[in-house]
Amino acid sequence: MTTYNLSAFAGAGAQFFTDNGDPLTGGLLYVYAAGTTTPSTTWTTNSGAVANTNPIVLDAAGRVPSGGEIWLSDGLQYKFVLKD
């Protein structure tokens, strides 16, 4: 399996905020196959051995946990939905 990192900064730049500018603590990042409501798997590392939860629950700083990395499978298209 070939995987690709979603963030050029290995997750370091991915932080989400509320409308008030506060970190989106406990925010939920849902991942679907593009154009559908079918959940899609993303990975915590480039090996594709450990899946992220779906939804991915943001930490207290509004970031993706476990180093902030979201790895995607080659050849698939994704849709991301962020909810508070």
Side-chain angles (χ1 to χ4, degrees), residues 38-60:
T38 303
S40 194
T41 302
T42 61
W43 310 98
T44 60
T45 67
N46 67 340
S47 70
V50 179
N52 281 306
T53 61
N54 195 356
I56 298 169
V57 181
L58 304 179
D59 67 14

Side-chain angles (χ1 to χ4, degrees), residues 6-7 13 20 25 28 32-34 40-41 46 56 58 62 68 81-82 84:
L6 180 63
S7 172
N20 295 330
T25 302
L28 302 173
Y32 302 101
S40 194
T41 302
N46 67 340
I56 298 169
L58 304 179
V81 176
L82 181 64
D84 58 12

Side-chain angles (χ1 to χ4, degrees), residues 10-84:
Q15 186 175 24
F16 300 93
F17 298 92
T18 66
D19 290 341
N20 295 330
D22 299 318
L24 186 57
T25 302
L28 302 173
L29 184 60
Y30 292 85
V31 184
Y32 302 101
T36 74
T37 57
T38 303
S40 194
T41 302
T42 61
W43 310 98
T44 60
T45 67
N46 67 340
S47 70
V50 179
N52 281 306
T53 61
N54 195 356
I56 298 169
V57 181
L58 304 179
D59 67 14
R63 296 183 187 273
V64 174
S66 302
E69 295 187 342
I70 300 175
W71 290 81
L72 308 176
S73 297
D74 183 34
L76 299 179
Q77 294 181 336
Y78 295 85
K79 172 175 72 174
F80 292 85
V81 176
L82 181 64
K83 296 187 178 187
D84 58 12

